[in-house]
Amino acid sequence: MEHLAELWPRDGRPRLIHLMPWDLTVGGAQRMLDLWCSHQAYRWDTHIITVGARGPFEFTGATIHSELRTAQIRGLIETLQPDLLVHHEPTEKNGISSRCPQVWVLHCTNSLRAESPKHVAPAAVFTNFDSHEIHSSWRELPLKVLPLQIDTDEFRPGKRKHAGLVCGIVGRLHEDKIPRSFIDALLAWQAGPWRLRFIGHGLDTGYQRFASEQLAHVPWIDFSGDVPPAQMASTLRRLDALMIPTDAAHGETGSYAALEAMATGLPVIARDLHGLRYNCGDAPLYANEDTELL
């Protein structure tokens, strides 16, 4: 890799690396990064490094390095010699020690509930919600809370582009977002005037096949694939409501889908989670049980 840095000239710009522990398909962290790139990537020589695969996001102006092993990631960071390393969701297991300054971005409530990593002293730590659940060790770091922001020029009330009543569930089709108990509740639910639409797929883990096979014969449920961020506003305008049945054990620090839906004029029905209340206030209809959501 000793000559690879020559492939990406800085052109007088500072070099920034975003280090992601997940694939670049559908998710709030990926959405945050895509939004950042669309507004700020031109100011930096931006690189995104991940162990995972590439999905439907643009990441405008950034160079993508995907499907890398840990040793390759460490070598690439050493070769690129960034001026700043932004490590998304660092842990003791995936922690990277580097000579450049680090900023940490936390996206998961489980990480914030656990003790903070000790492999490096970050210059700053950001999360998008505050709660008594956050482990005291994070308070000893330069922790800053920045609530989620969305583009209200793009997401605004408008005319619906469909007929009938459709409730959407936006995000990865994984067990933390769509619990098995929620699937069981759907199978036991009596059909009514509403259709339920799952929007998003994510990196295939097998759970997608399980969920779609379980619900394949329910006539009022359908599945859509991953939707690029540029198409999300028009996707929401085909809905009449949004539901967030996320497993409470995993939680949500926030939800772009919820904020964008509310800005579009849609009611939101959500699991009663600290992160959602912090970012959305009392606007959604909150519930605890699966049947209560339905």
Side-chain angles (χ1 to χ4, degrees):
M1 289 191 180
E2 58 187 34
H3 301 299
L4 287 182
E6 299 175 3
L7 297 175
W8 304 292
R10 297 174 185 254
D11 295 327
R13 297 171 298 171
R15 175 163 287 165
L16 172 67
I17 289 179
H18 284 279
L19 180 58
M20 291 284 288
W22 309 295
D23 62 277
L24 300 178
T25 59
V26 175
Q30 296 87 337
R31 185 63 178 276
M32 179 186 292
L33 187 51
D34 184 77
L35 285 170
W36 183 90
C37 286
S38 66
H39 292 285
Q40 297 293 332
Y42 73 95
R43 300 177 184 270
W44 302 76
D45 174 35
T46 304
H47 295 257
I48 300 173
I49 300 177
T50 177
V51 297
R54 179 74 181 269
F57 292 83
E58 292 291 337
F59 302 112
T60 304
T63 301
I64 309 299
H65 311 268
S66 59
E67 300 186 73
L68 300 179
R69 297 186 299 273
T70 300
Q72 292 175 304
I73 290 174
R74 294 180 186 274
L76 186 56
I77 292 173
E78 184 66 25
T79 298
L80 290 174
Q81 297 183 351
D83 297 288
L84 181 65
L85 174 64
V86 179
H87 195 161
H88 295 258
E89 208 62 34
T91 64
E92 291 287 0
K93 182 179 179 180
N94 69 12
I96 297 289
S97 296
S98 175
R99 289 172 289 183
C100 70
Q102 288 194 30
V103 167
W104 293 351
V105 181
L106 281 300
H107 303 274
C108 298
T109 51
N110 284 348
S111 298
L112 288 163
R113 291 168 182 156
E115 189 174 1
S116 62
K118 306 298 182 186
H119 64 279
V120 70
V125 181
F126 295 99
T127 181
N128 55 44
F129 93 123
D130 203 351
S131 169
H132 66 273
E133 294 183 78
I134 296 177
H135 193 280
S136 59
S137 60
W138 291 106
R139 307 289 185 185
E140 298 171 3
L141 298 175
L143 179 69
K144 298 181 181 180
V145 178
L146 296 177
L148 292 176
Q149 302 291 315
I150 63 169
D151 186 348
T152 53
D153 289 331
E154 181 178 4
F155 295 94
R156 61 187 186 278
K159 185 178 180 180
R160 298 288 177 264
K161 298 181 179 179
H162 71 284
L165 294 172
V166 183
C167 181
I169 297 177
V170 176
R172 296 177 295 114
L173 192 58
H174 285 213
E175 190 168 5
D176 55 341
K177 304 296 183 183
I178 314 295
R180 290 174 187 260
S181 62
F182 183 70
I183 292 177
D184 292 339
L186 288 174
L187 292 171
W189 197 251
Q190 295 296 317
W194 286 82
R195 293 188 59 79
L196 189 64
R197 178 170 300 153
F198 289 92
I199 301 165
H201 188 274
L203 189 66
D204 193 4
T205 62
Y207 191 77
Q208 292 94 333
R209 291 190 297 274
F210 165 79
S212 59
E213 289 171 2
Q214 288 289 305
L215 301 173
H217 302 295
V218 181
W220 49 276
I221 294 177
D222 58 68
F223 294 85
S224 300
D226 292 340
V227 175
Q231 298 176 17
M232 187 54 68
S234 61
T235 298
L236 290 175
R237 291 192 181 97
R238 296 184 180 95
L239 304 176
D240 296 280
L242 181 83
M243 184 182 291
I244 302 175
T246 300
D247 188 345
H250 291 270
E252 296 272 9
T253 59
S255 170
Y256 279 110
L259 292 173
E260 290 168 351
M262 290 191 298
T264 308
L266 301 180
V268 174
I269 305 96
R271 192 85 66 180
D272 197 350
L273 304 172
H274 289 301
L276 292 178
R277 281 194 178 271
Y278 186 84
N279 279 275
C280 302
D282 293 328
L285 299 172
Y286 292 107
N288 289 301
E289 302 300 326
D290 295 304
T291 52
E292 189 180 2
L293 286 167
L294 293 169

